[in-house]
Amino acid sequence: MNINDYLEYPYDPWIILGIRENASDKDVKKAWRKNGSPKTGYIYKAYQLLKDGESRKKAELLGPKPFREPSDALNTLKKHPQYKGPEKWLDQIRNK
Amino acid sequence: MAYIRHRKLVENILLKKVLNKISEAEASGKIAVILENPLWIADSPLLDDNDLWKKSAVYILEDFEAVTNGMSRPGSPGIILEEKGNPLYSWHLLTNAIASFYENNFVLMEKFSSMIPENTPPAVLKEVFSIISGKPSSSKKALSFAMEIFSRNTRTSESIELLQEASAYRDILITEIQKVIPLTAKENLLSAKKLYYWAVSRLVQEEPLSEYLEKNMECLGPGEASRLCSVASMQTDPDYALLAWLRSFKDVLWQKEISKEEITARSTIASELIRNVKSAELFTEQINSAAADIIQDINTALRNNYSDISLPDIKLKLPSAIDSEKNNKRFKNTKEIPGLFGELSA
């Protein structure tokens, strides 16, 4: 697999195979088999891109896939409790 | 208005309690289900300041104000807020649930929330706590309130939205990246990397990236900005991609410990990038010299920090970067160094 194979693969190969980033060779093979052991197509390509430790390290170093739009980042931001004072809470009870 | 009617009812029940026309337990039970604000008891002229319920209500109001404003909670007044004996019990549980929410302890928040008696006014907020815990809800009102009190950092969200608008203007986009990426990295490092990658991919469509973009991006981690700039340029700007890749390799080696597998993978990719530059006939003396300088740094870092790693395979990955006469001279005196150039300078 050369650099372009990784860059031109349009998806996150870990997501395509349904495995974690710390998956082992065994996990990758198992995931490929679970998907019907295809010999062509996106699943097969994902399998090839991740099949051994060195390939996975290359995939990791040539990733992650960028967002399509900046707004994609919004959904990944953590939510934080916002202090709004007692009245907002009391209004919820008053206007039940 | 139920709110005013309930307040009058509370006053009536308090009056009956003071006149001993009703037992304390009965009064407590009746008040608990209509008490929509502890102030009704705290402000009641029917109760003197030493009255247990009044002291409880004053304490609850202070505590409620503190937890919803992020202030220190008042010390416990030693009041027993038991379920049957005190109409403020559900308010005490509510305040504890809110405090747990602001402490990001959602397990405890749910525990306190689940203890709030269903027929008491604070129970209306159970739905809100449930939404915050990630459970689905059909209540638009509760959902709206949950979004108000539990939301994303406004500054970060607005900056990201601005980045979208700035994408058509190169200079503004470059300025905005410097602001948005550190903010996003604080919230979610992976998202910051994906966002940065999006931005540099956008920029590279118009003209080659500059090393400037790799600066002041420590928030992404050692060498990460250079790595992502390199990846974004690999298919359009091979010489920049090579140098940025090598800068990333050098930075990561000097700043943190990485595995042998990662060193090998980084070298393999560097080797492929060198081939790309050569095949595109872009390997000018300037590029060659710049690459060799960085590779020399990489070599030093490997020697200094990774003496336990066997390097023979890695040595062979990067030979072509120094195959100019000038660089052969440069590395002539490094023959004795057991690093990347040991064999090459022979």
Side-chain angles (χ1 to χ4, degrees), chain A residues 2-4 8 61 63-65 67 69-70 74-76 80-86 88-89 94-95, chain B residues 3 67-70 91 102 141 145 148-149 151-152 160 164 187-188 191 194 197-198 227 235 268 272:
Chain A
N2 62 33
I3 289 172
N4 286 341
E8 286 164 9
L61 289 168
K65 294 290 174 198
F67 284 128
E69 297 292 339
L74 291 174
N75 292 332
T76 69
H80 305 277
Q82 310 288 325
Y83 291 108
K84 299 280 180 183
K88 292 268 179 188
W89 291 85
R94 182 187 301 186
N95 304 320
Chain B
Y3 188 75
V67 298
T68 54
N69 277 317
W91 281 90
Y102 283 117
K141 191 166 171 276
F145 184 59
E148 192 180 343
I149 56 164
S151 58
R152 298 180 193 112
I160 289 172
Q164 180 96 39
E187 304 262 336
N188 186 324
S191 287
K194 293 173 100 165
Y197 190 0
W198 169 85
R227 183 181 70 79
Q235 293 185 307
T268 306
E272 198 174 325

Side-chain angles (χ1 to χ4, degrees), chain B residues 22-307:
Chain B
I22 188 172
S23 73
E24 187 161 304
E26 193 182 350
S28 172
K30 284 185 172 178
I31 289 173
V33 295
I34 53 171
L35 187 67
E36 289 165 22
N37 193 329
L39 190 70
W40 297 350
I41 293 179
D43 264 6
S44 174
L46 297 167
L47 304 173
D48 68 54
D49 289 347
N50 289 324
D51 181 273
L52 182 68
W53 289 4
K54 190 161 193 164
K55 281 165 79 176
S56 303
V58 170
Y59 167 72
I60 292 287
L61 283 173
E62 284 174 8
D63 199 18
F64 199 78
E65 172 113 18
V67 298
T68 54
N69 277 317
M71 301 183 300
S72 299
R73 300 179 73 177
S76 169
I79 294 165
I80 301 165
L81 285 156
E82 280 180 353
E83 184 172 5
K84 285 180 183 170
N86 197 318
L88 289 139
Y89 175 70
S90 60
W91 281 90
H92 182 52
L93 292 169
L94 173 65
T95 315
N96 282 338
I98 296 172
S100 306
F101 161 63
Y102 283 117
E103 286 160 9
N104 274 310
N105 189 342
F106 295 166
V107 175
L108 201 56
M109 175 192 80
E110 279 219 292
K111 189 182 168 194
F112 283 123
S113 169
S114 69
M115 289 164 72
I116 298 172
E118 290 297 341
N119 55 353
T120 61
V124 73
L125 286 160
K126 285 179 157 195
E127 185 88 2
V128 174
F129 295 125
S130 173
I131 292 167
I132 290 166
S133 302
K135 294 183 183 119
S137 170
S138 56
S139 165
K140 281 185 185 171
K141 191 166 171 276
L143 195 61
S144 162
F145 184 59
M147 284 169 71
E148 192 180 343
I149 56 164
F150 189 50
S151 58
R152 298 180 193 112
N153 185 304
T154 315
R155 192 172 157 222
T156 312
S157 304
E158 285 174 0
S159 298
I160 289 172
E161 282 162 9
L162 197 63
L163 198 64
Q164 180 96 39
E165 291 170 29
S167 63
Y169 309 97
R170 186 178 177 86
D171 290 345
I172 301 174
L173 181 56
I174 290 171
T175 308
E176 289 305 315
I177 290 169
Q178 308 289 330
K179 295 178 196 163
V180 177
I181 302 302
L183 284 175
T184 311
K186 275 187 203 164
E187 304 262 336
N188 186 324
L189 183 59
L190 180 61
S191 287
K193 289 182 185 181
K194 293 173 100 165
L195 199 57
Y196 182 75
Y197 190 0
W198 169 85
V200 291
S201 300
R202 182 97 193 174
L203 290 169
V204 85
Q205 285 169 13
E206 293 169 29
E207 54 185 91
L209 299 180
S210 79
E211 200 177 334
Y212 169 77
L213 283 163
E214 301 166 34
K215 307 286 180 199
N216 303 318
M217 281 293 150
E218 291 80 10
C219 61
L220 294 176
E224 282 299 89
S226 301
R227 183 181 70 79
L228 291 167
C229 283
S230 170
V231 175
S233 304
M234 281 177 182
Q235 293 185 307
T236 53
D237 190 3
D239 49 341
Y240 173 84
L242 168 64
L243 295 181
W245 187 264
L246 293 175
R247 280 193 288 273
S248 166
F249 194 2
K250 178 198 72 177
D251 288 347
V252 82
L253 281 174
W254 281 112
Q255 291 179 50
K256 70 174 204 183
E257 201 172 311
I258 58 174
S259 65
K260 186 185 173 186
E261 287 72 27
E262 181 167 341
I263 292 173
T264 307
R266 280 181 182 267
S267 310
T268 306
I269 293 168
S271 177
E272 198 174 325
L273 291 173
I274 289 168
R275 280 201 303 277
N276 290 348
V277 176
K278 291 189 94 176
S279 66
E281 296 183 351
L282 290 166
F283 226 127
T284 61
E285 188 60 35
Q286 196 186 356
I287 299 291
N288 203 13
S289 177
D293 277 346
I294 309 170
I295 291 170
Q296 196 172 15
D297 259 357
I298 291 171
N299 187 39
T300 309
L302 287 169
R303 269 191 294 113
N304 287 355
N305 304 328
Y306 295 86
S307 54

Side-chain angles (χ1 to χ4, degrees), chain A residues 4-80:
Chain A
N4 286 341
D5 289 317
Y6 290 92
L7 297 182
E8 286 164 9
Y9 189 71
Y11 311 112
D12 180 327
W14 282 274
I15 292 177
I16 292 297
L17 289 179
I19 52 174
R20 289 174 184 270
E21 292 232 346
N22 61 359
S24 64
D25 291 5
K26 232 178 182 176
D27 296 331
V28 177
K29 197 158 198 170
K30 202 171 156 186
W32 172 62
R33 283 189 178 143
K34 203 175 166 186
N35 281 287
S37 310
K39 292 280 169 47
T40 55
Y42 283 123
I43 291 169
Y44 180 58
K45 193 74 189 277
Y47 168 63
Q48 285 187 309
L49 293 175
L50 302 179
K51 66 181 176 185
D52 56 57
E54 194 177 335
S55 303
R56 285 195 294 282
K57 191 48 85 177
K58 272 179 89 174
E60 196 184 302
L61 289 168
L62 294 168
K65 294 290 174 198
F67 284 128
R68 284 168 188 253
E69 297 292 339
S71 57
D72 293 345
L74 291 174
N75 292 332
T76 69
L77 296 182
K78 280 182 200 161
K79 289 181 179 173
H80 305 277

